Amino acid sequence: MVSGSKPTVRPACPNFSSGPCAKHPGWSLSNLKDAVLGRSHRAKLGKDRLKRAIDETKALLELPADYIVGIMAGSDTGAVEAALWSLLGPRPVDVFAWESFGKDWVTDCVKQLKPLQARSFVAEFGKLPDLKQADFTHDVVFTWNGTTSGVIVPNADWIPDNREGLTICDATSSALAVPMPWHKLDVITYSWQKVLGGEAQHGILIMSPRAVARIESHTPAWAVPKIFRMTKDGKLNKGIFEGETINTPSMLCVEDALDAMAWAKSIGGAKALAERTQANAKVVTDWVARTPWIEFLCADASTRSPTSVCLKLAGTDLSADDQAAFCKKITSLLEKEGVAYDINSYRDAPPGFRIWCGSTVEAGDVAALTQWLDWAHATCHAEAKAA
């Protein structure tokens, strides 16, 4: 196809948002007809459904048998902050960030949770900080995948098995998208709205026995908001990890998550989800390799995210503001054509594009999108020259 010609093939699903993400193939509102609506989540029926969501999560993630799973309020953000506010304090903390949300955890550790002793290691968008600087006599806080920067931790070799502190990992765009070394992680969080394509406002909090031991032996020096409190009389509130949520959950969202996990199971579980993600990312990688006007925000292929794929204009002498304006013209044109929604870069990231390549997206749709991107770029470039 000549880049200046309008493509004839459209993505069947134009939703490439990095959160909430596309619903899984075959999704329908009718799939949720059995949702427990108009009933208390504390009634047996509601609790059973919440417990089922927890059990299905453990099975799909293939977690160690002694790890526990809870459903928290406030999406991944709520789950992360529940962990930070409840667990940190006994040891100094090292917090690593290389994108927007990781920087929020830096703010919590450095500015909010006083008198916590904290060191921060922050890299610019597109790069990973030196993880070898982590001191594992400390607690260590980090994101596995930088959703707004397109940078992912390549492996867990830098985390020792004999660590003294806890590892607290925000895995919202990596859990179920890439293999995760659970034994290296003491706290893991994510949300249904990412890889599963579920609905928002609910977060998953996973804790190892080491994290449980910490929460039962430590009283934070700061006041812990009710929404984050996971203990009763100095002991873990086990009900949270058996279907008794701290606040009122949306049972419609719970049913949607169950539906997404059933789809994931039907295609082969976590392994199949990861394979679909990699196949989608490869489509973009191959396109970038043959396209002179675009490049990855993350130059290092070994740390490049396969889910939140972040791109920028290549070989341009435009200012950052002009790049942002040009990219906005492209995304607006694609939205007008109904072929791609929400692929603009995150609001505080460098100007460019962000394409979600998680497992609920089809590789054929990603391939069609790349053709439309070529067309939109050629169209907007021609308009700019004419002006």
Side-chain angles (χ1 to χ4, degrees):
M1 184 200 73
V2 178
S3 60
S5 303
K6 183 179 286 191
T8 57
V9 178
R10 295 170 175 268
C13 177
N15 300 333
F16 297 98
S17 166
S18 291
C21 300
K23 311 302 285 186
H24 68 78
W27 182 90
S28 169
L29 193 59
S30 64
N31 295 358
L32 314 185
K33 64 182 183 301
D34 294 328
V36 179
L37 304 179
R39 292 289 306 276
S40 171
H41 61 290
R42 295 186 177 90
K44 185 178 185 305
L45 185 62
K47 286 174 64 176
D48 286 350
R49 207 60 127 244
L50 288 160
K51 180 62 164 57
R52 181 181 158 199
I54 289 171
D55 291 342
E56 293 291 345
T57 296
K58 290 180 179 178
L60 185 60
L61 290 172
E62 300 175 356
L63 291 173
D66 53 0
Y67 279 46
I68 60 174
V69 176
I71 299 171
M72 308 298 292
S75 196
D76 176 67
T77 301
V80 173
E81 296 206 321
L84 299 184
W85 287 68
S86 299
L87 293 167
L88 294 183
R91 294 175 179 270
V93 60
D94 290 353
V95 55
F96 291 82
W98 51 94
E99 52 89 50
S100 307
F101 295 98
K103 291 177 182 177
D104 287 338
W105 316 145
V106 169
T107 298
D108 271 11
C109 294
V110 174
K111 295 184 178 181
Q112 299 296 324
L113 300 178
K114 296 181 178 180
L116 182 65
Q117 296 180 47
R119 301 191 305 167
S120 61
F121 304 87
V122 181
E124 62 186 89
F125 282 89
K127 296 183 179 180
L128 196 68
D130 182 6
L131 300 176
K132 292 180 181 178
Q133 294 183 83
D135 180 345
F136 285 95
T137 65
H138 299 177
D139 295 328
V140 178
V141 177
F142 66 102
T143 55
W144 192 273
N145 184 84
T147 311
T148 67
S149 68
V151 178
I152 192 169
V153 176
N155 55 60
D157 295 347
W158 56 286
I159 303 175
D161 291 338
N162 63 345
R163 61 193 176 275
E164 296 178 31
L166 299 178
T167 48
I168 300 177
C169 177
D170 173 0
T172 193
S173 295
S174 54
L176 293 173
V178 296
M180 300 288 292
W182 306 121
H183 69 286
K184 297 278 192 176
L185 307 173
D186 296 301
V187 179
I188 308 101
T189 68
Y190 71 95
S191 65
W192 292 331
Q193 65 168 317
K194 295 291 187 179
V195 178
L196 288 174
E199 292 302 300
Q201 295 303 323
H202 297 74
I204 294 295
L205 173 66
I206 302 166
M207 296 202 300
S208 73
R210 298 179 76 247
V212 173
R214 165 70 65 82
I215 205 169
E216 291 190 333
S217 63
H218 164 62
T219 300
W222 42 79
V224 178
K226 178 182 178 181
I227 205 70
F228 299 156
R229 293 176 201 158
M230 293 185 285
T231 59
K232 283 186 176 180
D233 301 323
K235 294 293 183 182
L236 180 73
N237 181 358
K238 293 182 179 179
I240 295 172
F241 303 90
E242 296 172 353
E244 298 175 10
T245 55
I246 295 174
N247 71 322
T248 303
S250 164
M251 298 306 295
L252 196 62
C253 291
V254 171
E255 199 69 26
D256 190 62
L258 286 168
D259 174 65
M261 287 190 281
W263 168 77
K265 183 178 180 181
S266 74
I267 66 168
K271 183 175 183 292
L273 296 178
E275 289 172 348
R276 284 177 62 91
T277 298
Q278 291 295 338
N280 291 336
K282 185 178 185 302
V283 173
V284 180
T285 299
D286 291 347
W287 171 66
V288 171
R290 64 176 184 267
T291 306
W293 66 269
I294 198 74
E295 63 186 5
F296 289 103
L297 179 60
C298 176
D300 183 354
S302 70
T303 61
R304 192 177 295 152
S305 170
T307 55
S308 50
V309 180
C310 295
L311 306 164
K312 64 179 181 177
L313 299 176
T316 179
D317 56 1
L318 294 174
S319 68
D321 287 344
D322 287 343
Q323 288 182 58
F326 185 74
C327 291
K328 185 176 181 180
K329 286 183 179 180
I330 290 176
T331 57
S332 296
L333 181 57
L334 294 178
E335 184 169 343
K336 183 179 179 181
E337 290 286 342
V339 297
Y341 300 130
D342 309 318
I343 64 167
N344 46 298
S345 59
Y346 192 70
R347 59 178 177 260
D348 61 357
F353 311 101
R354 184 169 58 145
I355 302 170
W356 182 255
C357 288
S359 58
T360 58
V361 174
E362 299 279 22
D365 286 344
V366 180
L369 170 61
T370 62
Q371 294 186 10
W372 281 91
L373 277 163
D374 281 333
W375 168 78
H377 175 265
T379 300
C380 293
H381 183 67
E383 290 177 353
K385 287 186 66 176

